[in-house]
Structure formats: C-alpha cells, structure tokens
Amino acid sequence: MTSTDTALQRALDHERAHHDHCRTALAAMVEGAREHVVTGEDVSASGADAEVLGYRLRSRAKEMRELPPGPLFFGRLDFAEGEETGRALHIGRLRITEHPAAPPLVVDWRAPVSRAFYQATASDPRGVDVRRRFGWAPGSRGESADLTGMEDEHLGRGESRAGAIVAREIERPRVGPMRDIAATIQPEQDDLVRAGLGTTVCVQGAPGTGKTAVGLHRAAYLLYTHPQRIERGGLLILGPNPTFLSYIAEVLPALGESGVRQSTLDREIARHPVTRTDDVRAAALKHDARTAEVLRRALYARVDPGAAGDLTVPDGSYRWRVPAEALARVVADVRREQPPYTVGRERVRARIVRYVQERAERRAGPRTNAWLRRVERARPVGAVLDAVWPRVRPEEVLAPLLGDPAELARAADGVLDDEEQRALLWTGRAPRSWKSARWSAADLLLLDEVAGLLEHPEGYGHVVVDEAQDLSPMECRAIARRSAFGSLTVLGDLAQGTTPWAARSWRTVLAHLGRPDAAVVPLTTGFRVPKKVVGLANRLLERLDVDVPPARSLRGDGELTLREAAPGAVPEAVVDAVRHALTREGSVGVVAADPDVPGLRAALDAAGIAAAGPEALSARVAVVPASVVKGLEYDHVVAVEPAAIAAAEGPGGRGLHRLYVVLTRAVSRLDVVHARPLPF
C-alpha cells in the first residue's frame, strides 16, 4: 500500500468514525424530541398555546422518527478564510448536533454557510480550501449506509472538477420514488432553490434539467428559512396527476420536511363527484378565460338596485324609513366598488344600518352596539337584502347558465358567439335544480371560479406548480386565487405541453396566474437524459410550435436503438427489447399509446415477464400509457410505435408533444420499437 493509499484509508476511517458519532447524536435527538412530546406540554403553556406547542413538538418528533435511512452527510467544506477558517463543516440533509449550543456535527444543506458547497468554484472559491464529496453504498449488517469513497476538489489551489461520485449519484438506477438531489444541486439550480419567499419564479426546464427537483428543494428551503410565515399560510405542491404525486411524495420527507400539502388541482376544486363528460369543444370553452366574464355577468345580474321599495325598520314604537332611492344608491355604490359578492352583500347591510344610525343619533343621541345588532338582524333589512343582493351558491349560478339558452345568451352576449353558446350548453334534458345536476371536470372549474367571485378563498404562503405548461387560463385563475397573498414556483416545459389548451408562451401563463412580471429562467443543461436521447428529442423539437431552446446533456452518450418490426410483430419485438433490458441494472418503462397498453401487458405476461402499471413505483418493469408518463423516469425506456403515440391525440392535437415527453423519460437507454414510419 502506497503512502497515498494509507492517507486515503486513514481519512476514510476518520470520516466513518464521524458518521458513527453523528448516528449516535441523531438517535439522541430523536429520543429528546420524543421526551419533549411527553414533558414539553405541561410547563408554561396553557389552553390554545399548549395545544400549539404540543402539535409542534409532536410534528417535529414524528418528522425525525420518519427520516428515511441513508447517509447523514454527503459533503464537507474546509475553509481557508472567513469566519469558518480552520473548520471542517459536514453538509447533510438536516442539522445534527449533540447540544443546541454546541457546534453542529452536520450542517443543514439549506443553511447560508452551506451555499458555498454548491456555488464555490476555482475562480471564486468563497473562502473554501477543499470541497469533499462522499460516496455511499447501501449498508450491510443492518447499517443505513457504508462510506465507500471520497473525492476532494482543492479550490484554494485552483482545482475544480465534477468527479465520478457526482456522476454515479446522478446515474444511479431509478427504481422506486423520486430521490432528492441535495448532494448534486448545480449552481444554476441552487440560485433558483434559494430565491426569496416573496419572489415568484417560472422555470422553463428542458427534459432532465431537474426542474421538478428544483421546485421541491425550493419548497424545503422556504420551509427551513421562513418556518413561521410558511406555517401560517401553508405550502401547496400541485402536480398533474396522482401517479406523479406518488412519485415525488418521498422527496420532502427525505429532506426533513413534512406537513406540506401535495395535491392536484382537480382535488383542490372537487366540490362534487365528476359524473358528466364534456365533448372537446365544450371542455375547451369552459377552460377559456372568456368564460370567467360570462360567469361574472351571470352572478352580478342577480344584483338589482331597484328591486325593493322603501325600507321601514322598526325601533320600538318608532319606525325608521330608508327611501327606495337611497337604497338603490347604496347598492349601486357598492356594486361599483367590485368587492367579492358576499362581502358586497354585507357591505350593503352595513351601509343601510349606518343610514338608519345617523338619523337615529340626530334624533336621540349615540346608539349602543346592541341597538346596532338589532337593526342588522331586523327582518325587513334581511328581506331587502334578499331582493337587491340575494344570497347565492355557485351551483345556483352555474346550473341555470348551462341549462337555459336564454340565461346563457344574456350573460354571454358579446363574449361568446351563438355557436359557442350552443356548444357550452349541457346536452339532454336540463336538471330541475342544481341538486340533481351532473357535473363534468370542467364544470367544477367553473364552480370554483364562481366561488372565488363570492369570496376569496384562503390562500397559501407559497405554491409550487409543476407541469404548468398544461394549465388552461381558467386553471391558472384557480391557482391564482389560492396564492393571492403568496408567491409561486412555476415549473414546466412548453415543448411538453399536451393538453388542448397548453401554453405556447410563459407570459400568457404568468398573466393568468396574476404574476405577469415574474422572471422566466431557462434550464437547458440536462443531467438525466443521455446525449443520444437528447439529440433524438431535439430533432422532434424542431417540429413543435414552441419557442424553446434545444436541450444539451452533460451525460454520456447513453444507448439509443431503433427497432423496426414487421406489421403485427410489434408486441414480440417489445418482449425482446424488455428481455434485453432486464439483463441490465435499473427500471424498465414500456411506454405506448393508451389503447395499446392492455395488449402489451398481455404479451409480456404470456412471455413470463411480470409487468406492473405506472402506479407501482418499485416494480422492475412498468407498462405506462403515454398520457400519464409525464414527470416519470426510467433507466431503460421502450417507446412503442411513436406514430401511434403522435396520432392518439387526433387531428390538430398535441400528439407530437406527447411523443416528445415519451422519448425523454429515459435515464440511460432508449429503445424505439416501430412498424410504422417514424415521425422524426
């Protein structure tokens, strides 16, 4: 063994001993958190304060107990200058210390001092002398991880390079849910992750650039940096479908954060079960921003300043009169102020009471609060309100609008033409009332719009929106209502837009989200998709009508195979491709047009190859409909009959965009199996 090998072995032994020490300290922290749950609620707090304290303690203890197994640190910084001179700081997914006042054994990756780990370079070392990265392997003997190697970059000497450890971590086989990327965040990703809480950021990310991971790590960073503000408003992560949410579900817990709501927009607006299906034209109109104006008109058509005559309010033996002209003036003034509908109703009530109060005080002096409440609740006041500004539910606005051509014509005049109005109306017999109505998915979006006109919903402190290029204007408006007083992280790729209303410009999306001036930051350097696969996808990108720069890859070439099969022999060719893929390490995703999926699963089953659906994240082989593969990734992708995938959207559809998504799901290898001519 050379002196260099001996020195390396001594350093590894030292780091292993430090990791053991950290493991012991973490166990003590978990136990301490558990004890605080038992004892921490009975000291000085009482009532609601005690409940809040107990909740926080229980949540923290639960978070620490449920941290996934794995290495407790992935990097180390040795500083040559600055406040940390002479110190070695280990960087990990959470802070570990033996005592709150003691120096940390591991520094949280989100701490300000950790930023140098991601941003320091040979030309700008930020005071760092040596940056060390650690290589880990699954532990033996019941241990969570084994330290297998390390690499040092001597930034103080002008040496900086991406080593094999980073490459291995990026290329590690993808079986199971999405992993965090805390160990491999790149400088441009770090800038986005650490953007301030008040900043809305839109990330135009090419395939494999880590935009989803950036959004999730930004969520973790904001939770760490602004815990009280985020806790007050909450943090919402919106994904495109439940499969995608399952795939990303473990990232935040792995980073030490829980309590974040991860949902789809469909879940957020689900006032009723979906029991009706719209045709393509009706759905497109319901997602169109013009429909918001139709709904606004339909709602405020119920406000009628002249619907009531004089109001007489009893006050003991006395009667106070509010002339019809004064009532109409109050209603018209409030209407011009454009408050939420429910707020407007109560504002009218308050001004009626003030009108009566002013006259009563001129006659008999100041009125008591009890007197004011009696006037507010007086039956004649309620009756007048119901006439000029009636109570209403969203369903009571929408059901007549979609069921009655005359009512729709009044609200849509000058907004939708006659043909569009006919397309928007419900088909078949209209329901007798909203209670018997059958609602489509797009109808729920319209109900949410009306609900937002009635009163502003409670918003979140921050919302992360993934696959945002697929949002319609009305969906953007629903999200904007939930983030009116918070910020947004908007993630997507215009080239991957597959809905009929998918955006072609981020400025359009941001305008509907209420953030027209937000920065749009491109990520074009891929760390996941190999060069050959990116090259193939860029060929297809040229045919898509979007202003998106071509992606480039820092990965190796990877493997790309085009397998032409005889007509009718595609299933057998897919079986052969999967058999070959199973001789290699990692996950295998067979992606095909939705109608072809059952036949391919049957062919694999007949060949003795166990294959699951996309929801089985730990399965070795998954057969995935092209419509749900967005956001997922597999080590080896078998893309089946690209022409069928492109044609499945129908004439004028977004089939080529769907195919672009499919081709970019591969982490290492892509097989394209086809009998029909390739569309690229």
PDB file of all heavy atoms in Angstrom, residues 274-304:
ATOM      1  N   VAL A 274     -67.392  13.877 -10.277  1.00  0.00           N
ATOM      2  CA  VAL A 274     -67.481  14.080 -11.722  1.00  0.00           C
ATOM      3  C   VAL A 274     -68.321  12.949 -12.311  1.00  0.00           C
ATOM      4  O   VAL A 274     -67.937  11.781 -12.264  1.00  0.00           O
ATOM      5  CB  VAL A 274     -66.087  14.105 -12.366  1.00  0.00           C
ATOM      6  CG1 VAL A 274     -66.195  14.147 -13.885  1.00  0.00           C
ATOM      7  CG2 VAL A 274     -65.289  15.298 -11.852  1.00  0.00           C
ATOM      8  N   THR A 275     -69.485  13.300 -12.853  1.00  0.00           N
ATOM      9  CA  THR A 275     -70.397  12.292 -13.403  1.00  0.00           C
ATOM     10  C   THR A 275     -70.816  12.615 -14.837  1.00  0.00           C
ATOM     11  O   THR A 275     -71.684  11.954 -15.392  1.00  0.00           O
ATOM     12  CB  THR A 275     -71.660  12.173 -12.519  1.00  0.00           C
ATOM     13  OG1 THR A 275     -72.263  13.458 -12.373  1.00  0.00           O
ATOM     14  CG2 THR A 275     -71.317  11.624 -11.146  1.00  0.00           C
ATOM     15  N   ARG A 276     -70.247  13.645 -15.410  1.00  0.00           N
ATOM     16  CA  ARG A 276     -70.565  14.040 -16.784  1.00  0.00           C
ATOM     17  C   ARG A 276     -69.257  14.221 -17.548  1.00  0.00           C
ATOM     18  O   ARG A 276     -68.247  14.653 -16.981  1.00  0.00           O
ATOM     19  CB  ARG A 276     -71.359  15.350 -16.791  1.00  0.00           C
ATOM     20  CG  ARG A 276     -71.688  15.867 -18.188  1.00  0.00           C
ATOM     21  CD  ARG A 276     -72.193  17.315 -18.122  1.00  0.00           C
ATOM     22  NE  ARG A 276     -73.491  17.412 -17.483  1.00  0.00           N
ATOM     23  CZ  ARG A 276     -74.650  17.354 -18.117  1.00  0.00           C
ATOM     24  NH1 ARG A 276     -74.666  17.169 -19.435  1.00  0.00           N
ATOM     25  NH2 ARG A 276     -75.781  17.480 -17.467  1.00  0.00           N
ATOM     26  N   THR A 277     -69.263  13.891 -18.843  1.00  0.00           N
ATOM     27  CA  THR A 277     -68.084  14.086 -19.685  1.00  0.00           C
ATOM     28  C   THR A 277     -68.410  15.105 -20.763  1.00  0.00           C
ATOM     29  O   THR A 277     -69.393  14.959 -21.494  1.00  0.00           O
ATOM     30  CB  THR A 277     -67.652  12.761 -20.337  1.00  0.00           C
ATOM     31  OG1 THR A 277     -67.353  11.809 -19.308  1.00  0.00           O
ATOM     32  CG2 THR A 277     -66.413  12.967 -21.191  1.00  0.00           C
ATOM     33  N   ASP A 278     -67.591  16.125 -20.855  1.00  0.00           N
ATOM     34  CA  ASP A 278     -67.777  17.140 -21.899  1.00  0.00           C
ATOM     35  C   ASP A 278     -67.179  16.669 -23.219  1.00  0.00           C
ATOM     36  O   ASP A 278     -66.197  15.915 -23.232  1.00  0.00           O
ATOM     37  CB  ASP A 278     -67.067  18.442 -21.499  1.00  0.00           C
ATOM     38  CG  ASP A 278     -67.766  19.160 -20.372  1.00  0.00           C
ATOM     39  OD1 ASP A 278     -69.001  19.266 -20.412  1.00  0.00           O
ATOM     40  OD2 ASP A 278     -67.066  19.626 -19.443  1.00  0.00           O
ATOM     41  N   ASP A 279     -67.743  17.139 -24.314  1.00  0.00           N
ATOM     42  CA  ASP A 279     -67.047  16.919 -25.581  1.00  0.00           C
ATOM     43  C   ASP A 279     -65.885  17.909 -25.677  1.00  0.00           C
ATOM     44  O   ASP A 279     -65.737  18.812 -24.851  1.00  0.00           O
ATOM     45  CB  ASP A 279     -67.998  17.027 -26.770  1.00  0.00           C
ATOM     46  CG  ASP A 279     -68.643  18.406 -26.906  1.00  0.00           C
ATOM     47  OD1 ASP A 279     -68.003  19.414 -26.537  1.00  0.00           O
ATOM     48  OD2 ASP A 279     -69.788  18.480 -27.386  1.00  0.00           O
ATOM     49  N   VAL A 280     -65.057  17.736 -26.683  1.00  0.00           N
ATOM     50  CA  VAL A 280     -63.823  18.523 -26.783  1.00  0.00           C
ATOM     51  C   VAL A 280     -64.119  20.015 -26.858  1.00  0.00           C
ATOM     52  O   VAL A 280     -63.462  20.831 -26.202  1.00  0.00           O
ATOM     53  CB  VAL A 280     -63.008  18.065 -28.012  1.00  0.00           C
ATOM     54  CG1 VAL A 280     -61.798  18.967 -28.219  1.00  0.00           C
ATOM     55  CG2 VAL A 280     -62.562  16.618 -27.841  1.00  0.00           C
ATOM     56  N   ARG A 281     -65.141  20.393 -27.640  1.00  0.00           N
ATOM     57  CA  ARG A 281     -65.447  21.815 -27.814  1.00  0.00           C
ATOM     58  C   ARG A 281     -65.940  22.435 -26.513  1.00  0.00           C
ATOM     59  O   ARG A 281     -65.514  23.541 -26.130  1.00  0.00           O
ATOM     60  CB  ARG A 281     -66.503  21.976 -28.908  1.00  0.00           C
ATOM     61  CG  ARG A 281     -66.798  23.435 -29.251  1.00  0.00           C
ATOM     62  CD  ARG A 281     -65.641  24.031 -30.032  1.00  0.00           C
ATOM     63  NE  ARG A 281     -65.739  25.483 -30.173  1.00  0.00           N
ATOM     64  CZ  ARG A 281     -66.545  26.108 -31.024  1.00  0.00           C
ATOM     65  NH1 ARG A 281     -67.352  25.405 -31.812  1.00  0.00           N
ATOM     66  NH2 ARG A 281     -66.534  27.423 -31.111  1.00  0.00           N
ATOM     67  N   ALA A 282     -66.842  21.749 -25.828  1.00  0.00           N
ATOM     68  CA  ALA A 282     -67.371  22.289 -24.575  1.00  0.00           C
ATOM     69  C   ALA A 282     -66.265  22.430 -23.531  1.00  0.00           C
ATOM     70  O   ALA A 282     -66.176  23.439 -22.816  1.00  0.00           O
ATOM     71  CB  ALA A 282     -68.485  21.393 -24.048  1.00  0.00           C
ATOM     72  N   ALA A 283     -65.402  21.419 -23.437  1.00  0.00           N
ATOM     73  CA  ALA A 283     -64.308  21.482 -22.463  1.00  0.00           C
ATOM     74  C   ALA A 283     -63.392  22.661 -22.764  1.00  0.00           C
ATOM     75  O   ALA A 283     -62.974  23.398 -21.856  1.00  0.00           O
ATOM     76  CB  ALA A 283     -63.523  20.173 -22.475  1.00  0.00           C
ATOM     77  N   ALA A 284     -63.067  22.853 -24.044  1.00  0.00           N
ATOM     78  CA  ALA A 284     -62.174  23.954 -24.414  1.00  0.00           C
ATOM     79  C   ALA A 284     -62.788  25.309 -24.046  1.00  0.00           C
ATOM     80  O   ALA A 284     -62.093  26.207 -23.558  1.00  0.00           O
ATOM     81  CB  ALA A 284     -61.868  23.894 -25.903  1.00  0.00           C
ATOM     82  N   LEU A 285     -64.091  25.467 -24.253  1.00  0.00           N
ATOM     83  CA  LEU A 285     -64.748  26.721 -23.903  1.00  0.00           C
ATOM     84  C   LEU A 285     -64.767  26.941 -22.394  1.00  0.00           C
ATOM     85  O   LEU A 285     -64.594  28.067 -21.918  1.00  0.00           O
ATOM     86  CB  LEU A 285     -66.176  26.732 -24.452  1.00  0.00           C
ATOM     87  CG  LEU A 285     -66.311  26.983 -25.952  1.00  0.00           C
ATOM     88  CD1 LEU A 285     -67.724  26.671 -26.417  1.00  0.00           C
ATOM     89  CD2 LEU A 285     -65.948  28.436 -26.278  1.00  0.00           C
ATOM     90  N   LYS A 286     -64.969  25.878 -21.637  1.00  0.00           N
ATOM     91  CA  LYS A 286     -65.009  26.024 -20.179  1.00  0.00           C
ATOM     92  C   LYS A 286     -63.628  26.348 -19.604  1.00  0.00           C
ATOM     93  O   LYS A 286     -63.530  26.900 -18.505  1.00  0.00           O
ATOM     94  CB  LYS A 286     -65.587  24.756 -19.548  1.00  0.00           C
ATOM     95  CG  LYS A 286     -67.068  24.573 -19.835  1.00  0.00           C
ATOM     96  CD  LYS A 286     -67.613  23.262 -19.310  1.00  0.00           C
ATOM     97  CE  LYS A 286     -69.085  23.096 -19.673  1.00  0.00           C
ATOM     98  NZ  LYS A 286     -69.665  21.806 -19.193  1.00  0.00           N
ATOM     99  N   HIS A 287     -62.590  26.011 -20.345  1.00  0.00           N
ATOM    100  CA  HIS A 287     -61.229  26.353 -19.911  1.00  0.00           C
ATOM    101  C   HIS A 287     -60.784  27.713 -20.437  1.00  0.00           C
ATOM    102  O   HIS A 287     -59.701  28.180 -20.085  1.00  0.00           O
ATOM    103  CB  HIS A 287     -60.250  25.271 -20.372  1.00  0.00           C
ATOM    104  CG  HIS A 287     -60.259  24.039 -19.532  1.00  0.00           C
ATOM    105  ND1 HIS A 287     -59.431  23.873 -18.451  1.00  0.00           N
ATOM    106  CD2 HIS A 287     -61.016  22.912 -19.591  1.00  0.00           C
ATOM    107  CE1 HIS A 287     -59.653  22.698 -17.892  1.00  0.00           C
ATOM    108  NE2 HIS A 287     -60.624  22.092 -18.562  1.00  0.00           N
ATOM    109  N   ASP A 288     -61.594  28.338 -21.270  1.00  0.00           N
ATOM    110  CA  ASP A 288     -61.267  29.611 -21.902  1.00  0.00           C
ATOM    111  C   ASP A 288     -61.496  30.753 -20.911  1.00  0.00           C
ATOM    112  O   ASP A 288     -62.507  30.797 -20.212  1.00  0.00           O
ATOM    113  CB  ASP A 288     -62.159  29.794 -23.135  1.00  0.00           C
ATOM    114  CG  ASP A 288     -61.715  30.946 -24.018  1.00  0.00           C
ATOM    115  OD1 ASP A 288     -61.433  32.038 -23.494  1.00  0.00           O
ATOM    116  OD2 ASP A 288     -61.665  30.754 -25.249  1.00  0.00           O
ATOM    117  N   ALA A 289     -60.568  31.711 -20.857  1.00  0.00           N
ATOM    118  CA  ALA A 289     -60.678  32.830 -19.908  1.00  0.00           C
ATOM    119  C   ALA A 289     -61.928  33.669 -20.149  1.00  0.00           C
ATOM    120  O   ALA A 289     -62.431  34.326 -19.225  1.00  0.00           O
ATOM    121  CB  ALA A 289     -59.437  33.707 -20.004  1.00  0.00           C
ATOM    122  N   ARG A 290     -62.474  33.673 -21.374  1.00  0.00           N
ATOM    123  CA  ARG A 290     -63.678  34.459 -21.637  1.00  0.00           C
ATOM    124  C   ARG A 290     -64.853  33.974 -20.795  1.00  0.00           C
ATOM    125  O   ARG A 290     -65.751  34.757 -20.459  1.00  0.00           O
ATOM    126  CB  ARG A 290     -64.034  34.393 -23.121  1.00  0.00           C
ATOM    127  CG  ARG A 290     -63.033  35.068 -24.040  1.00  0.00           C
ATOM    128  CD  ARG A 290     -63.451  34.884 -25.493  1.00  0.00           C
ATOM    129  NE  ARG A 290     -63.480  33.475 -25.855  1.00  0.00           N
ATOM    130  CZ  ARG A 290     -64.146  32.986 -26.903  1.00  0.00           C
ATOM    131  NH1 ARG A 290     -64.858  33.788 -27.675  1.00  0.00           N
ATOM    132  NH2 ARG A 290     -64.112  31.701 -27.176  1.00  0.00           N
ATOM    133  N   THR A 291     -64.843  32.691 -20.446  1.00  0.00           N
ATOM    134  CA  THR A 291     -65.949  32.150 -19.653  1.00  0.00           C
ATOM    135  C   THR A 291     -65.995  32.796 -18.275  1.00  0.00           C
ATOM    136  O   THR A 291     -67.062  32.882 -17.661  1.00  0.00           O
ATOM    137  CB  THR A 291     -65.818  30.624 -19.539  1.00  0.00           C
ATOM    138  OG1 THR A 291     -65.678  30.070 -20.851  1.00  0.00           O
ATOM    139  CG2 THR A 291     -67.039  30.005 -18.882  1.00  0.00           C
ATOM    140  N   ALA A 292     -64.867  33.264 -17.764  1.00  0.00           N
ATOM    141  CA  ALA A 292     -64.859  33.943 -16.466  1.00  0.00           C
ATOM    142  C   ALA A 292     -65.730  35.194 -16.511  1.00  0.00           C
ATOM    143  O   ALA A 292     -66.456  35.505 -15.548  1.00  0.00           O
ATOM    144  CB  ALA A 292     -63.426  34.297 -16.068  1.00  0.00           C
ATOM    145  N   GLU A 293     -65.690  35.921 -17.624  1.00  0.00           N
ATOM    146  CA  GLU A 293     -66.528  37.111 -17.754  1.00  0.00           C
ATOM    147  C   GLU A 293     -68.008  36.732 -17.841  1.00  0.00           C
ATOM    148  O   GLU A 293     -68.874  37.416 -17.261  1.00  0.00           O
ATOM    149  CB  GLU A 293     -66.115  37.905 -18.989  1.00  0.00           C
ATOM    150  CG  GLU A 293     -67.026  39.074 -19.343  1.00  0.00           C
ATOM    151  CD  GLU A 293     -67.120  40.129 -18.248  1.00  0.00           C
ATOM    152  OE1 GLU A 293     -66.249  40.144 -17.338  1.00  0.00           O
ATOM    153  OE2 GLU A 293     -68.063  40.945 -18.290  1.00  0.00           O
ATOM    154  N   VAL A 294     -68.312  35.634 -18.513  1.00  0.00           N
ATOM    155  CA  VAL A 294     -69.696  35.168 -18.580  1.00  0.00           C
ATOM    156  C   VAL A 294     -70.208  34.831 -17.180  1.00  0.00           C
ATOM    157  O   VAL A 294     -71.330  35.194 -16.807  1.00  0.00           O
ATOM    158  CB  VAL A 294     -69.809  33.942 -19.512  1.00  0.00           C
ATOM    159  CG1 VAL A 294     -71.224  33.380 -19.500  1.00  0.00           C
ATOM    160  CG2 VAL A 294     -69.392  34.309 -20.936  1.00  0.00           C
ATOM    161  N   LEU A 295     -69.389  34.160 -16.398  1.00  0.00           N
ATOM    162  CA  LEU A 295     -69.784  33.799 -15.031  1.00  0.00           C
ATOM    163  C   LEU A 295     -69.959  35.041 -14.163  1.00  0.00           C
ATOM    164  O   LEU A 295     -70.892  35.125 -13.357  1.00  0.00           O
ATOM    165  CB  LEU A 295     -68.736  32.873 -14.421  1.00  0.00           C
ATOM    166  CG  LEU A 295     -68.589  31.503 -15.079  1.00  0.00           C
ATOM    167  CD1 LEU A 295     -67.362  30.782 -14.534  1.00  0.00           C
ATOM    168  CD2 LEU A 295     -69.837  30.654 -14.873  1.00  0.00           C
ATOM    169  N   ARG A 296     -69.070  35.996 -14.320  1.00  0.00           N
ATOM    170  CA  ARG A 296     -69.184  37.231 -13.525  1.00  0.00           C
ATOM    171  C   ARG A 296     -70.495  37.953 -13.838  1.00  0.00           C
ATOM    172  O   ARG A 296     -71.202  38.408 -12.938  1.00  0.00           O
ATOM    173  CB  ARG A 296     -67.988  38.138 -13.813  1.00  0.00           C
ATOM    174  CG  ARG A 296     -67.894  39.360 -12.902  1.00  0.00           C
ATOM    175  CD  ARG A 296     -66.886  40.370 -13.424  1.00  0.00           C
ATOM    176  NE  ARG A 296     -67.312  40.932 -14.710  1.00  0.00           N
ATOM    177  CZ  ARG A 296     -68.235  41.894 -14.825  1.00  0.00           C
ATOM    178  NH1 ARG A 296     -68.813  42.392 -13.751  1.00  0.00           N
ATOM    179  NH2 ARG A 296     -68.571  42.339 -16.020  1.00  0.00           N
ATOM    180  N   ARG A 297     -70.805  38.027 -15.118  1.00  0.00           N
ATOM    181  CA  ARG A 297     -72.066  38.676 -15.501  1.00  0.00           C
ATOM    182  C   ARG A 297     -73.266  37.930 -14.931  1.00  0.00           C
ATOM    183  O   ARG A 297     -74.231  38.544 -14.451  1.00  0.00           O
ATOM    184  CB  ARG A 297     -72.179  38.731 -17.020  1.00  0.00           C
ATOM    185  CG  ARG A 297     -71.224  39.695 -17.700  1.00  0.00           C
ATOM    186  CD  ARG A 297     -71.537  39.689 -19.193  1.00  0.00           C
ATOM    187  NE  ARG A 297     -70.653  40.510 -19.979  1.00  0.00           N
ATOM    188  CZ  ARG A 297     -70.785  40.667 -21.287  1.00  0.00           C
ATOM    189  NH1 ARG A 297     -71.775  40.058 -21.936  1.00  0.00           N
ATOM    190  NH2 ARG A 297     -69.934  41.436 -21.957  1.00  0.00           N
ATOM    191  N   ALA A 298     -73.243  36.604 -15.028  1.00  0.00           N
ATOM    192  CA  ALA A 298     -74.379  35.807 -14.541  1.00  0.00           C
ATOM    193  C   ALA A 298     -74.579  35.998 -13.048  1.00  0.00           C
ATOM    194  O   ALA A 298     -75.726  36.057 -12.564  1.00  0.00           O
ATOM    195  CB  ALA A 298     -74.139  34.334 -14.865  1.00  0.00           C
ATOM    196  N   LEU A 299     -73.485  36.095 -12.302  1.00  0.00           N
ATOM    197  CA  LEU A 299     -73.599  36.280 -10.851  1.00  0.00           C
ATOM    198  C   LEU A 299     -74.145  37.666 -10.532  1.00  0.00           C
ATOM    199  O   LEU A 299     -75.127  37.809  -9.786  1.00  0.00           O
ATOM    200  CB  LEU A 299     -72.233  36.078 -10.196  1.00  0.00           C
ATOM    201  CG  LEU A 299     -72.156  36.415  -8.697  1.00  0.00           C
ATOM    202  CD1 LEU A 299     -73.091  35.512  -7.886  1.00  0.00           C
ATOM    203  CD2 LEU A 299     -70.718  36.291  -8.196  1.00  0.00           C
ATOM    204  N   TYR A 300     -73.533  38.695 -11.090  1.00  0.00           N
ATOM    205  CA  TYR A 300     -73.910  40.049 -10.694  1.00  0.00           C
ATOM    206  C   TYR A 300     -75.204  40.509 -11.356  1.00  0.00           C
ATOM    207  O   TYR A 300     -75.744  41.566 -10.982  1.00  0.00           O
ATOM    208  CB  TYR A 300     -72.763  41.017 -10.976  1.00  0.00           C
ATOM    209  CG  TYR A 300     -71.694  40.911  -9.917  1.00  0.00           C
ATOM    210  CD1 TYR A 300     -70.564  40.124 -10.123  1.00  0.00           C
ATOM    211  CD2 TYR A 300     -71.845  41.554  -8.691  1.00  0.00           C
ATOM    212  CE1 TYR A 300     -69.592  39.994  -9.148  1.00  0.00           C
ATOM    213  CE2 TYR A 300     -70.882  41.434  -7.710  1.00  0.00           C
ATOM    214  CZ  TYR A 300     -69.757  40.648  -7.935  1.00  0.00           C
ATOM    215  OH  TYR A 300     -68.823  40.523  -6.942  1.00  0.00           O
ATOM    216  N   ALA A 301     -75.721  39.716 -12.301  1.00  0.00           N
ATOM    217  CA  ALA A 301     -77.060  40.013 -12.815  1.00  0.00           C
ATOM    218  C   ALA A 301     -78.106  39.867 -11.718  1.00  0.00           C
ATOM    219  O   ALA A 301     -79.221  40.398 -11.838  1.00  0.00           O
ATOM    220  CB  ALA A 301     -77.388  39.087 -13.984  1.00  0.00           C
ATOM    221  N   ARG A 302     -77.780  39.154 -10.659  1.00  0.00           N
ATOM    222  CA  ARG A 302     -78.710  38.985  -9.542  1.00  0.00           C
ATOM    223  C   ARG A 302     -78.796  40.236  -8.674  1.00  0.00           C
ATOM    224  O   ARG A 302     -79.714  40.366  -7.865  1.00  0.00           O
ATOM    225  CB  ARG A 302     -78.282  37.785  -8.692  1.00  0.00           C
ATOM    226  CG  ARG A 302     -78.376  36.477  -9.468  1.00  0.00           C
ATOM    227  CD  ARG A 302     -77.665  35.327  -8.766  1.00  0.00           C
ATOM    228  NE  ARG A 302     -77.795  34.105  -9.559  1.00  0.00           N
ATOM    229  CZ  ARG A 302     -78.759  33.196  -9.395  1.00  0.00           C
ATOM    230  NH1 ARG A 302     -79.645  33.353  -8.432  1.00  0.00           N
ATOM    231  NH2 ARG A 302     -78.835  32.136 -10.168  1.00  0.00           N
ATOM    232  N   VAL A 303     -77.811  41.105  -8.776  1.00  0.00           N
ATOM    233  CA  VAL A 303     -77.841  42.359  -8.021  1.00  0.00           C
ATOM    234  C   VAL A 303     -78.765  43.337  -8.747  1.00  0.00           C
ATOM    235  O   VAL A 303     -78.560  43.635  -9.923  1.00  0.00           O
ATOM    236  CB  VAL A 303     -76.421  42.956  -7.889  1.00  0.00           C
ATOM    237  CG1 VAL A 303     -76.478  44.324  -7.206  1.00  0.00           C
ATOM    238  CG2 VAL A 303     -75.516  42.005  -7.126  1.00  0.00           C
ATOM    239  N   ASP A 304     -79.766  43.848  -8.033  1.00  0.00           N
ATOM    240  CA  ASP A 304     -80.774  44.719  -8.650  1.00  0.00           C
ATOM    241  C   ASP A 304     -81.056  45.888  -7.718  1.00  0.00           C
ATOM    242  O   ASP A 304     -81.842  45.768  -6.769  1.00  0.00           O
ATOM    243  CB  ASP A 304     -82.048  43.933  -8.928  1.00  0.00           C
ATOM    244  CG  ASP A 304     -83.083  44.766  -9.682  1.00  0.00           C
ATOM    245  OD1 ASP A 304     -82.821  45.958  -9.938  1.00  0.00           O
ATOM    246  OD2 ASP A 304     -84.145  44.215 -10.017  1.00  0.00           O
TER     247      ASP A 304
END
